[in-house]
Amino acid sequence: MCRIIGKIIRGVGGFYYVETPDATIYECKVKGIFRKDDITPLVGDDVAISVIDEDKDIGNIDEILPRKNELIRPAVANIDMAMVVFALKSPGLNTGLLDRFLVMMETEGVPVWLCLTKSDLATPDFIRRIVDTYEPCTESVSVVNNLDGSGIRDVRAALRGRTTVLAGPSGVGKSSLVKHICPDVDPEVGSISKKTERGTHTTRHSELFRIDEGTFIFDTPGFSSLRIPELLPEELAAYIPEFDEFVGGCRFPMCTHTHEPGCAVKEQIGISISESRYESYTQMFDELNRLAVKAGRSKR
């Protein structure tokens, strides 16, 4: 049997589709040893496969090569950047959910590029305020009009030469964005429920698309909630980039930036730190503190 190195681009119903360097896509199953060791292949994994039927492009996954990194949600591997996609309007921008995602990526050491879609539905002042809030805590922010494709050039430039996961809530325009970036790809495009202002789940599994040589994007299922990463409450501030230059000025070395007097971080709220970002921080801190107290792990 022929053994080839390839990359998993899609996984559906127990089958994994592996693209090899010559652009052949093999339908593969995994060997029982992976199930025995409780190892699950992820989209983005580099794998070694054995070809068992050349004519039908069928094979088996024999080995999962070492991963550079992996994410649990979305469940993908070997990424260089996360492009988190949120709509400015319809559905309304959920900054709390966005802030949770940013913390999750910070804990994984994955840089984030924020893509704000549906700019045709938002006022220039609102767009400017959101961009000003999130530029300090992301690699950059792009604003896209899904209808005419304006802003797509910036997105393409950001993706070039990297493997990027596209992630965000349902109905924010990820599939439309993929169509603009990859005209040959035709992902399902969902609609917004008028009753709930929530998007329909059109992408049902993670899938990896090749844009050009060395440039790949993952399209992933939308999410409406995220579990906060497993951190101690006092560790959370380290994953809020806007706090970095001020934490050394706090009166107390173990300042949590919530209730202590002489907190240099709190002094910057509304100046260098946005009120909404700080509010998200305190909500996550309180949640982590409740979990830590329940588990008997808090230092407080």
Side-chain angles (χ1 to χ4, degrees), residues 261-289:
C263 173
V265 168
K266 288 196 296 181
E267 291 172 358
Q268 292 297 318
I269 299 171
I271 305 172
S272 298
I273 299 170
S274 79
E275 293 180 7
S276 67
R277 285 277 291 163
Y278 180 75
E279 182 179 351
S280 289
Y281 166 76
T282 57
Q283 289 173 352
M284 287 186 280
F285 181 92
D286 289 343
E287 183 177 337
L288 287 171
N289 197 52

Side-chain angles (χ1 to χ4, degrees), residues 84-137:
V84 58
V85 184
F86 273 71
L88 288 157
K89 297 286 183 181
S90 187
L93 182 61
N94 185 336
T95 56
L97 186 60
L98 172 55
D99 293 334
R100 281 175 178 253
F101 188 89
L102 294 179
V103 167
M104 185 171 70
M105 292 299 103
E106 283 282 338
T107 63
E108 297 291 342
V110 176
V112 174
W113 193 292
L114 175 59
C115 181
L116 299 169
T117 63
K118 304 186 182 181
S119 62
D120 54 303
L121 302 179
T123 65
D125 286 346
F126 180 75
I127 294 172
R128 185 72 259 161
R129 179 161 59 86
I130 298 302
V131 170
D132 288 346
T133 296
Y134 285 98
E135 277 188 332
C137 55

Side-chain angles (χ1 to χ4, degrees), residues 233-240 242-267 269 273 278-279 281-283 285-286 300:
E234 54 268 23
E235 295 172 334
L236 178 62
Y239 300 102
I240 309 294
E242 305 98 301
F243 289 8
D244 290 349
E245 64 177 295
F246 306 112
V247 291
C250 294
R251 181 185 303 176
F252 301 104
M254 298 301 293
C255 184
T256 65
H257 322 299
T258 57
H259 64 281
E260 298 89 345
C263 173
V265 168
K266 288 196 296 181
E267 291 172 358
I269 299 171
I273 299 170
Y278 180 75
E279 182 179 351
Y281 166 76
T282 57
Q283 289 173 352
F285 181 92
D286 289 343
R300 295 184 67 194

Side-chain angles (χ1 to χ4, degrees), residues 231-234 285-300:
L231 299 170
L232 290 174
E234 54 268 23
F285 181 92
D286 289 343
E287 183 177 337
L288 287 171
N289 197 52
R290 287 193 299 271
L291 292 172
V293 169
K294 186 176 180 180
R297 295 185 294 117
S298 179
K299 296 180 181 177
R300 295 184 67 194

Side-chain angles (χ1 to χ4, degrees), residues 16 39-40 70 80-81 114 137 151 224-225 230 270 274:
Y16 296 90
I39 299 173
T40 302
E70 63 180 275
D80 298 316
M81 180 176 74
L114 175 59
C137 55
S224 57
S225 63
E230 294 184 4
S274 79

Side-chain angles (χ1 to χ4, degrees), residues 24-144:
T24 302
I25 297 175
Y26 290 90
E27 181 182 86
C28 299
K29 287 189 173 182
V30 295
K31 289 193 170 182
I33 188 172
F34 293 117
R35 290 189 292 273
K36 179 182 176 182
D37 295 338
D38 199 26
I39 299 173
T40 302
L42 297 176
V43 176
D45 270 332
D46 295 311
V47 295
I49 68 170
S50 295
V51 178
I52 58 178
D53 191 323
E54 286 280 6
D55 295 329
K56 295 182 179 180
D57 296 332
I58 294 175
N60 284 327
I61 294 177
D62 299 326
E63 181 184 359
I64 299 173
L65 303 185
R67 292 168 177 162
K68 177 168 62 177
N69 54 36
E70 63 180 275
L71 300 180
I72 296 174
R73 184 168 187 179
V76 294
N78 299 320
I79 66 172
D80 298 316
M81 180 176 74
M83 180 167 283
V84 58
V85 184
F86 273 71
L88 288 157
K89 297 286 183 181
S90 187
L93 182 61
N94 185 336
T95 56
L97 186 60
L98 172 55
D99 293 334
R100 281 175 178 253
F101 188 89
L102 294 179
V103 167
M104 185 171 70
M105 292 299 103
E106 283 282 338
T107 63
E108 297 291 342
V110 176
V112 174
W113 193 292
L114 175 59
C115 181
L116 299 169
T117 63
K118 304 186 182 181
S119 62
D120 54 303
L121 302 179
T123 65
D125 286 346
F126 180 75
I127 294 172
R128 185 72 259 161
R129 179 161 59 86
I130 298 302
V131 170
D132 288 346
T133 296
Y134 285 98
E135 277 188 332
C137 55
T138 60
E139 186 167 311
S140 192
V141 181
S142 293
V143 179
V144 171

Side-chain angles (χ1 to χ4, degrees), residues 131-175:
V131 170
D132 288 346
T133 296
Y134 285 98
E135 277 188 332
C137 55
T138 60
E139 186 167 311
S140 192
V141 181
S142 293
V143 179
V144 171
N145 183 325
N146 295 61
L147 298 179
D148 63 16
S150 62
I152 294 296
R153 182 179 298 179
D154 290 341
V155 173
R156 286 202 186 101
L159 299 174
R160 191 170 299 123
R162 299 199 253 193
T163 297
T164 302
V165 58
L166 293 183
S170 303
V172 298
K174 291 196 306 297
S175 294

